[in-house]
Amino acid sequence: MEVRRENRNIHDNQRRQLAKQFELKRNLFKAFLRDPEIPPELREQQQYKLAKLPRNSSFTRLRNRCIFTGRSRGVYQVFRMSRIVFRELASKGFIRMERVILMRKQ
């Protein structure tokens, strides 16, 4: 079971690195596609180049995951942990409530 959880986080981390690596290229190609003054042939070339980029380099493929369990649902983005782990740690006193209150105000 633990190997599967680690794999989820490893794959998520690899996707984040790919997205970061290809972010500039992807944004450039998308800017070409959005510009209505560019000739259709050039836009088609840019669309082809965008399609050739790795799929995992897209930011829409990223998923927030718990760093402890790999759970993808109910993850607090600020703490990067699931609600279940958060509650366990908070009840054991490992998370200070002042920090939680400050995060809610933002």
Side-chain angles (χ1 to χ4, degrees):
M1 231 359 164
E2 295 208 15
V3 172
R4 188 180 288 170
R5 288 180 185 162
E6 288 176 12
N7 284 344
R8 287 183 202 152
N9 286 341
I10 290 170
H11 288 303
D12 183 58
N13 191 31
Q14 288 172 345
R15 282 186 181 141
R16 287 180 190 280
Q17 288 175 351
L18 267 178
K20 189 176 172 184
Q21 179 182 353
F22 287 100
E23 179 181 15
L24 190 61
K25 278 186 181 180
R26 192 171 280 280
N27 288 340
L28 179 68
F29 295 147
K30 284 183 179 181
F32 273 115
L33 293 176
R34 282 190 217 111
D35 191 0
E37 297 179 6
I38 294 179
E41 300 84 24
L42 186 61
R43 289 170 83 189
E44 192 174 307
Q45 287 176 353
Q46 300 304 319
Q47 188 172 9
Y48 178 76
K49 289 179 183 179
L50 180 65
K52 282 296 176 185
L53 292 178
R55 287 188 176 192
N56 282 338
S57 68
S58 173
F59 276 102
T60 57
R61 288 243 177 168
L62 297 180
R63 182 85 178 179
N64 289 331
R65 291 200 173 270
C66 175
I67 56 175
F68 296 105
T69 62
R71 182 180 167 90
S72 64
R73 296 182 178 213
V75 176
Y76 294 127
Q77 202 169 9
V78 175
F79 298 101
R80 293 193 61 199
M81 64 178 76
S82 70
R83 60 185 173 80
I84 300 164
V85 174
F86 179 82
R87 186 170 179 176
E88 286 177 14
L89 293 177
S91 66
K92 290 179 183 176
F94 292 124
I95 297 176
R96 293 187 11 214
M97 293 310 291
E98 297 93 29
R99 184 173 179 199
V100 176
I101 294 169
L102 287 175
M103 294 299 168
R104 281 188 182 173
K105 289 181 181 179
Q106 291 178 353

